Amino acid sequence: MPAHRADPAEPDAVSPDTSFSKEPTSRRRFLGYLLAAPTLVAAAELGGGTGFGAPAANAAETGAGVPPSPQLADSYDLTDALVHAARPTANLITITLDENGHAHFELHRTEVGQGINTTVAMLIAEEMDLPLDHVHVTLADARPELMTNQLTGGSSSVSSIYYPVRTAAAIAKGKLLEAASLVLGEQANFLSSKLGVITSRAGRSVSYGDLATKAASDSTKQVEANLKAESDFAIVGKPTRRIDALDAVTGRKQFTTDLDVPGAKPTMVCRPPTINGTPQSVTNAEQVRRMPGITDVVTISSGVAVRGETYGQCIDAVNALDVKWSPGPVDGESDATVEQKLKDATPPAVIPPTPATKTLERQFTFAFVNGSALGVNAAIADVKPDSAEIWSTLKIPIAAQQNIAQALGMATNQVTVHVVSGGGSFGRALFHDAALEAAEISQKIGKPVRLMWHRADDCRQGRVHPMSVGTIRASFNGDVVSFEQHLASVRTDFSHGLGDAVSSTVARELPGVSYTVSEAIFALTTPSLYNFGITKTLLTETHQSPENNRPRGGFNTGSTRNVYSPDVVTTRELFVDELAEKMGMDPYDFRRKYVKNESLLKVLDKAAEVGGYGKSTPDGVGHGIALHHEYKQTMACFVELDCRPETVNRKVRDGVTGPRVTRGVLVTIPGHIVINPLGLEAMMQGGFIDGFAQALTASVHLNNGRIAEASWDNFFYCRQWNLPFEFTPVVLPAEESEIPAGAGEMGVAPSFAATACAYRAATGKTPTHFPINHNDPLPFEPYPHEPPLPPSPTNGLDYAY
Amino acid sequence: MPEHTFKLNGKPVTVDTEDNVRLLWVIRDLLGVTGPKYGCGINVCKACTCHINGKAFNPCSVQVSDVGPDDEITTIEGLADTVESDLHPMQEAWLDHDVVQCGYCQPGQIMAAVATVRKARDEGRELSDADIEGIRNVCRCGTYFRIREAIKDGATRM
Ligand code: FES
Ligand code: FES
C-alpha cells in the first residue's frame, strides 16, 4: 500500500520555512507579566499581547466571469470571530517553572483528540528553548473569569492562543536569561539558551532548574516580551508526535469513566423510547433496587437512574425497569415529515430570472447524522449539601458550571468543574448533557455517581447533526450571472454558549451587522468561491418555536464537526458540476475558469495533478473534485470512487460496503504557519474519512420520534473495509496571514462534496439524498426501543481469534 | 456471592460477584484495570479487546463464570510483559506512526492488531490487506490509515 503521508522532504509537502519571513512582527508589541511567586511564573493576557490590525491579505483575484457580490465570510470569518471572542478578558494564562527546570501550563482548552496539548507544549518548548518533554500541559478547571476564552470550538484554539502562549513563554525565557547573567557574570545578550540550559560565551552554564527560584519575581509587574522570529523556529513547524501517545498505547491515559473518585459507583439511566420522552411512573423501582449489585434507583427528569457495583448490573437493572413514558416533543416526526417541513420552509428565489438567461435549480436532502464520539457521554458528580464537584469532558466548562449550579440551587463558586481529556468530541462535548444529569442524580440520592451513557443512549438520545435541505439556483448565459443558495435546516442547538460568543463578537466587531446565533455562524462559514455574479446565501431554520428551545424540547441537535458546511459545500460543488455540464464544460475546467482567486486556483490544480484528475478510469469509476475555504484554510479535495458492482456488492458481516473511495487527495493552503505538520495531517485524514462516510453511509433514521440506530453496526461510520487504499494530504506554503489556521474540522466538507461529485461522475446519476444509501431498506434489524438497551451478549468466546 | 478466579496480566485474581457479570466490568469496575474501554457493550466496537490465552476477544460479551483459574487474560496493561519488555513491538510501531488521536480506541486496536498478526502466522502466512480489513475495531477519530501502516510495521518487528 502506498504511503499515506506527505514526505516532509518533498517540495510540496509542509516545509518548516513556510512563510516565516512574512510575519510582520516588527510593528507589534507583546506585553505580558511576571507574577510574584516562589519560582518563576510568567503570564500573558489571553487575546492580549498583540493587536490584530490588518485582516488576512486576500489572495489576488482571478478568473473569468462576473465577480461575486461580497459575502461576510470573504473578509471576516468564524475563526476571526472566535479569536476576537477571546480578547476582552483581563485574565491571565500562566507558565510556571519548577525547580527541576520543567514548565507547567494549565490549558484552558479541552484535549479531545485534536492534539491541542501537543501543539501548546510545542509553542512553549520553542519559545523557552526547553526540550518538549520538560513541558507539562494539564487541563484547567472551569475558570468563570475567562468567559468566552475557555471554549474549545470552531477549530479556533490554535488561532486564539498562538500569540498569548508564546508571549508568556518568551517572558519566562527573558527572565531566565536575566537571572543567568548574574550567575554567569556575562551580559544577557551574550548568553545562549538551549534545551533548558543557558551557556555563556566563556562556556560556563546553568540549568533552568537552578534558575527557577533565582528568576522568581517578588512583585507582579508588566514586562515586554521578546518573541522569537518565526524564521528561528526549531520545534514549531517540525512534524512532532503527540505528547500523550505513550499513555494512550499503554492504557494509562484516563478518560472520565476511568477516574477513581471514591464512592462514585457506576450509574446509568433508563431512557424513553422516543426522543426526549419523560418518565410518568415506575411500577417496580423497589424490586429493581434489590437486584444484585444495585444500590439506588431514582426517577430524574430524563428517565430513571440506577446506581450499582458494575455497569453490567446497571444495564440489567435498566432493562428490568417497568416505566410508563409520556410522549416526547417530536413523536409525530419521521424522516419524511421533517424533510417536508424543510422544503416548505424554503423560500422562493429572490433574484428574478431575466428573459436573456437560462436557469438551473436543484435541491438536496441531508439526513440526520449521529455525532457521538467513541467515548460515550460520561460524567462523575459528587454533590454534597453545600458544594458539588464534577468531572467530565467539557469544551465549555464555564457554561456547565453555571447551569449545574443553577440546577442544584447553588452559587457558581460552590460548584467545582474538572475538565477531563475526551475520547473524541466532534462538537458533542460543547454540551454538558451528562454532567448536568450526573449532578441531578447525585443530588437526588446524596451519593457520588459515575454516570455513563450506553452506546444505544448516545445513538438514540444523543445529539445529531440536524437534517437539512439545500436549494440552489443559478442563471447563466455565456457566464453565470446570478447564484443563490439556501439551506433549510432543523434548528442547531447553540445554547451551550459558543454561539453567543460568536454573535456577540460579530455585533461588537462589525457594527451594523445584526444576526441571530445561527445566522452569524452560517454567514461566517459561507464564503463565495466563484465569479458567479450576484451571489446570495441564506439560512432558514425549522423547529424554532419556544418549546423547541427549552431543554429536551425538540430534537437533540448540535454543531457536529463542521456545522453547516458539509451540507452547504456539497450542495454547491455538486451543483457546480451540473452547471458545468449545462454550459458544456468539464467540471475541472469550469472551476479553473470561474474560481475567484489564485489560492483557489492553486489548490484546485494541485489536487487535480496529485489525484490524476481526468485520467481514464474503468466504467463505474469516477473522479470528483471540490473546493472550500474555512478556518483560514483554502482547500481542494480529489476523490476517486469505485461504483462497480463487484465493489458495491462486497459482503461484510453486519457491515455496509457500497461504493468505495479508492484514492483521496486533500490540498490546503493554511492561513499561517503550521505548528505541527504531523497533527495537521492527522486532522486532514480524519476529516476526509468523516466526509466520505457522510456522503456514502453515515446517517440515522427517524421514525415517529424513534431513532432506529443503536450500535456501530447500525450507524455506518467508516470501518477498515470502507477505507480508501490511498490518501495524500498536501500542505502548500502558507498564506500571508497573522492567524494560524484551524484544522479539527477542515476536511469534512470538501471530502463530502468531492465524494458526491465522484459518484455523479462514476454513475452518471446526481444523488438527491445524502448519504446516498439513506433511503435503501434498513440494512439491519433495529434493536427494540423498550427495554432501551440491547442485551449484553454471552457468546464472546465464540468470536475469539 | 460466588467466587471467580482467573489470571489477569500474569497474576491470579479472585472476585466475588454474580456469575453473569460480564468480564469487562469485572476487570474495570471491580479490579480497577481500565485499559480496556467501553464503546458499545455488545461486541461491536471492539474498544474492549483483550486476549484470552493469547487470542483476541471482547470481555463485554463473556460472563465471568465462563473463565476459570487456568485462563490467562491479558489487557493492554499486560501486553508488554508478554514479551518481557517495556513496550510490545506493536506499541512501539503505534508510537512511531503517531497513530493515536483521542486514544480511546487504541488499547483495543493494538490488542486486535497483535492477535491478527499472530493468527496469520499460525496459519502459516504473512499478514495481508484482507486480514487488516477484517479488523472490526471502530476508530471514530479516523486514525485508520495510520493503523494500517503501524500494523504492517509492527508485524515485521514481532
Ligand atoms: S465494548 Fe466490547 S466490543 Fe464494544
Ligand atoms: S483515536 Fe479516538 S477513537 Fe480512535
Side-chain angles (χ1 to χ4, degrees):
Chain A
M1 196 176 300
H4 297 295
R5 307 198 111 176
D7 174 354
E10 278 174 35
D12 287 316
V14 187
S15 68
D17 63 353
T18 303
S19 89
F20 288 159
S21 57
K22 293 176 188 157
E23 191 197 28
T25 36
S26 54
R27 61 183 170 76
R28 298 218 195 127
R29 293 180 72 216
F30 298 93
L31 293 174
Y33 301 87
L34 283 165
L35 303 188
T39 60
L40 172 61
V41 179
E45 276 177 359
L46 280 165
T50 181
F52 291 101
N58 281 329
E61 287 171 10
T62 183
V66 188
S69 30
Q71 306 295 302
L72 177 64
D74 296 345
S75 53
Y76 188 88
D77 67 12
L78 185 62
T79 307
D80 294 308
L82 288 166
V83 168
H84 291 175
R87 282 165 71 182
T89 162
N91 291 285
L92 300 178
I93 51 155
T94 56
I95 296 171
T96 304
L97 190 77
D98 71 20
E99 292 182 10
N100 296 318
H102 287 224
H104 298 265
F105 181 68
E106 279 194 0
L107 180 61
H108 52 287
R109 301 280 161 155
T110 308
E111 174 62 54
V112 292
Q114 80 282 49
I116 186 71
N117 280 2
T118 306
T119 307
V120 168
M122 287 171 73
L123 289 174
I124 294 172
E126 179 69 69
E127 208 61 65
M128 288 185 73
D129 291 326
L130 267 173
L132 191 59
D133 60 0
H134 286 195
V135 181
H136 307 278
V137 179
T138 52
L139 303 185
D141 287 351
R143 291 176 58 190
E145 74 280 7
L146 291 180
M147 302 190 294
T148 49
N149 235 315
Q150 196 171 16
L151 180 160
T152 310
S155 296
S156 66
S157 292
V158 173
S159 313
S160 305
I161 62 189
Y162 180 63
Y163 290 108
V165 167
R166 287 177 63 203
T167 299
I171 285 172
K173 196 185 80 185
K175 191 71 199 318
L176 286 165
L177 286 170
E178 216 178 288
S181 134
L182 291 175
V183 174
L184 301 174
E186 259 185 57
Q187 266 177 267
N189 53 345
F190 292 142
L191 302 174
S192 62
S193 52
K194 201 178 169 191
L195 297 174
V197 176
I198 295 176
T199 310
S200 72
R201 281 204 300 198
R204 297 174 58 215
S205 66
V206 57
S207 76
Y208 284 13
D210 291 338
L211 294 168
T213 48
K214 294 192 181 77
S217 182
D218 49 13
S219 64
T220 293
K221 53 188 177 218
Q222 197 173 45
V223 277
E224 188 164 346
N226 189 5
L227 297 200
K228 249 190 202 176
E230 290 183 342
S231 51
D232 291 340
F233 280 173
I235 296 172
V236 170
K238 289 261 164 3
T240 303
R241 293 191 208 147
R242 298 182 56 109
I243 57 174
D244 52 359
L246 181 63
D247 281 350
V249 304
T250 51
R252 289 199 291 266
K253 181 168 177 178
Q254 289 194 312
F255 301 89
T256 302
T257 54
D258 302 334
L259 299 177
D260 184 17
V261 174
K265 287 191 196 291
T267 301
M268 294 179 91
V269 173
C270 177
R271 298 179 195 278
T274 60
I275 292 172
N276 291 329
T278 47
Q280 227 172 65
S281 59
V282 189
T283 59
N284 62 345
E286 190 44 36
Q287 225 173 307
V288 170
R289 205 202 49 72
R290 286 198 302 267
M291 285 175 68
I294 299 303
T295 61
D296 300 85
V297 177
V298 64
T299 300
I300 58 168
S301 46
S302 51
V304 181
V306 299
R307 176 177 175 274
E309 299 300 329
T310 68
Y311 285 111
Q313 288 159 322
C314 291
I315 291 171
D316 293 344
V318 162
N319 278 347
L321 280 166
D322 182 18
V323 186
K324 199 163 174 329
W325 299 100
S326 295
V330 290
D331 282 14
E333 298 272 35
S334 299
D335 278 343
T337 62
V338 179
E339 184 176 1
Q340 194 53 51
K341 284 192 177 121
L342 292 166
K343 289 187 170 166
D344 293 347
T346 300
V350 282
I351 306 170
T354 65
T357 55
K358 287 185 231 163
T359 299
L360 181 68
E361 173 169 335
R362 288 290 177 264
Q363 196 163 57
F364 306 98
T365 301
F366 300 86
F368 287 108
V369 186
N370 185 291
S372 48
L374 189 59
V376 277
N377 276 347
I380 295 175
D382 184 4
V383 179
K384 303 211 161 69
D386 52 1
S387 70
E389 212 171 344
I390 309 287
W391 291 258
S392 190
T393 301
L394 298 161
K395 290 171 109 181
I396 315 182
I398 299 167
Q401 186 186 31
Q402 283 163 353
N403 289 340
I404 291 169
Q406 198 182 6
L408 297 176
M410 292 184 185
T412 308
N413 61 10
Q414 288 173 288
V415 179
T416 305
V417 172
H418 307 288
V419 179
V420 186
S421 282
S425 166
F426 317 109
R428 180 73 68 92
L430 288 166
F431 297 91
H432 45 266
D433 300 321
L436 190 61
E437 201 172 51
E440 182 185 350
I441 302 168
S442 177
Q443 187 177 44
K444 283 218 163 108
I445 64 177
K447 296 174 191 170
V449 298
R450 184 151 43 99
L451 171 70
M452 185 179 85
W453 288 35
H454 195 279
R455 172 61 50 198
D457 298 334
D458 252 28
C459 285
R460 289 176 166 171
Q461 299 287 344
R463 296 190 178 263
V464 290
H465 188 269
M467 190 195 286
S468 74
V469 168
T471 306
I472 189 158
R473 312 172 178 92
S475 299
F476 55 97
N477 40 39
D479 283 323
V480 181
V481 295
S482 74
F483 183 81
E484 196 174 340
Q485 183 170 4
H486 182 267
L487 185 74
S489 174
V490 169
R491 161 188 176 269
T492 300
D493 188 348
F494 285 112
S495 64
H496 46 59
L498 172 109
D500 297 329
V502 171
S503 58
S504 59
T505 308
V506 170
R508 194 178 61 238
E509 299 282 329
L510 305 172
V513 177
S514 142
Y515 282 126
T516 66
V517 166
S518 339
E519 285 167 353
I521 292 184
F522 181 80
L524 292 171
T525 55
T526 312
S528 65
L529 304 188
Y530 299 100
N531 289 328
F532 284 165
I534 306 168
T535 299
K536 275 211 156 306
T537 54
L538 183 71
L539 169 76
T540 308
E541 290 190 320
T542 61
H543 301 80
Q544 265 294 10
S545 69
E547 294 76 53
N548 275 284
N549 283 302
R550 282 204 311 260
R552 289 195 299 281
F555 290 111
N556 297 319
T557 61
S559 47
T560 307
R561 204 174 193 181
N562 211 190
V563 203
Y564 301 112
S565 300
D567 306 359
V568 170
V569 176
T570 301
T571 299
R572 182 189 66 220
E573 296 297 311
L574 197 50
F575 181 77
V576 165
D577 276 13
E578 211 174 335
L579 202 52
E581 188 182 300
K582 287 274 173 317
M583 293 172 69
M585 290 182 75
D586 169 81
Y588 167 65
D589 295 333
F590 183 80
R591 282 183 177 80
R592 291 206 85 235
K593 180 171 177 192
Y594 287 106
V595 287
K596 72 168 198 183
N597 66 44
E598 283 175 356
S599 294
L600 287 162
L601 194 60
K602 241 187 259 175
V603 292
L604 174 65
D605 283 349
K606 193 76 205 172
E609 176 203 323
V610 178
Y613 180 88
K615 286 206 182 122
S616 84
T617 53
D619 272 358
V621 178
H623 290 172
I625 204 158
L627 294 169
H628 186 45
H629 180 96
E630 196 171 359
Y631 315 111
K632 307 284 175 206
Q633 312 261 14
T634 303
M635 295 172 279
C637 187
F638 164 90
V639 162
E640 179 179 85
L641 192 71
D642 183 350
C643 299
R644 291 175 296 181
E646 61 269 34
T647 299
V648 172
N649 300 326
R650 285 179 305 143
K651 292 273 174 280
V652 171
R653 169 174 67 83
D654 296 331
V656 157
T657 50
R660 185 167 191 175
V661 176
T662 44
R663 286 189 304 123
V665 179
L666 182 60
V667 182
T668 187
I669 300 179
H672 188 58
I673 183 172
V674 173
I675 297 171
N676 185 2
L678 217 46
L680 175 60
E681 284 183 13
M683 289 296 117
M684 290 169 83
Q685 294 175 354
F688 179 79
I689 290 174
D690 224 317
F692 73 71
Q694 290 184 44
L696 301 174
T697 53
S699 62
V700 296
H701 294 78
L702 178 74
N703 186 6
N704 289 316
R706 291 163 192 248
I707 287 177
E709 284 74 5
S711 141
W712 292 108
D713 277 355
N714 302 166
F715 174 65
F716 301 108
Y717 173 71
C718 174
R719 308 279 278 269
Q720 281 289 359
W721 56 82
N722 305 111
L723 199 69
F725 303 114
E726 217 182 304
F727 173 70
T728 315
V730 181
V731 182
L732 295 175
E735 266 175 26
E736 192 167 338
S737 145
E738 297 189 350
I739 304 181
E745 308 169 78
M746 60 183 275
V748 183
S751 158
F752 191 156
T755 307
C757 294
Y759 182 82
R760 183 173 187 275
T763 62
K765 287 184 284 210
T766 305
T768 56
H769 286 73
F770 291 100
I772 56 164
N773 75 344
H774 185 75
N775 292 334
D776 292 351
L778 271 191
F780 59 92
E781 180 64 38
Y783 284 104
H785 286 76
E786 283 180 277
L789 304 181
S792 314
T794 55
N795 62 349
L797 290 177
D798 298 348
Y799 294 91
Y801 61 93
Chain B
M1 256 182 300
E3 274 200 350
H4 304 275
T5 300
F6 58 93
K7 277 191 226 133
L8 183 65
N9 295 329
K11 294 193 194 77
V13 291
T14 300
V15 287
D16 262 349
T17 194
E18 308 304 314
D19 284 351
N20 69 348
V21 175
R22 305 302 187 274
L23 205 50
L24 178 63
W25 310 119
V26 171
I27 294 170
R28 287 183 52 93
D29 299 341
L30 302 180
L31 298 168
V33 174
T34 56
K37 303 298 177 209
Y38 165 86
C40 72
I42 54 172
N43 206 352
V44 165
C45 76
K46 308 288 177 177
C48 69
T49 305
C50 297
H51 293 170
I52 182 163
N53 308 322
K55 288 184 161 195
F57 84 114
N58 290 88
C60 67
S61 301
V62 174
Q63 306 184 91
V64 64
S65 58
D66 289 340
V67 297
D70 294 334
D71 285 319
E72 181 88 56
I73 312 287
T74 309
T75 70
I76 188 75
E77 286 93 338
L79 181 65
D81 286 345
T82 63
V83 292
E84 292 171 22
S85 172
D86 286 347
L87 286 174
H88 187 279
M90 197 59 83
Q91 289 170 311
E92 277 167 6
W94 239 249
L95 292 177
D96 288 348
H97 292 265
D98 202 41
V99 174
V100 172
Q101 274 175 231
C102 82
Y104 198 87
C105 72
Q106 303 297 349
Q109 301 278 7
I110 293 169
M111 298 306 276
V114 170
T116 304
V117 173
R118 276 192 203 145
K119 181 167 182 272
R121 298 246 165 106
D122 289 351
E123 290 168 7
R125 52 189 185 81
E126 276 310 301
L127 188 74
S128 68
D129 281 344
D131 292 326
I132 296 176
E133 290 208 358
I135 295 178
R136 300 185 68 93
N137 297 51
V138 172
C139 175
R140 184 62 183 81
C141 294
T143 64
Y144 294 116
F145 291 114
R146 302 193 297 287
I147 287 174
R148 288 190 160 202
E149 292 171 6
I151 295 181
K152 289 179 178 177
D153 186 7
T156 65
R157 308 184 195 190
M158 268 172 70

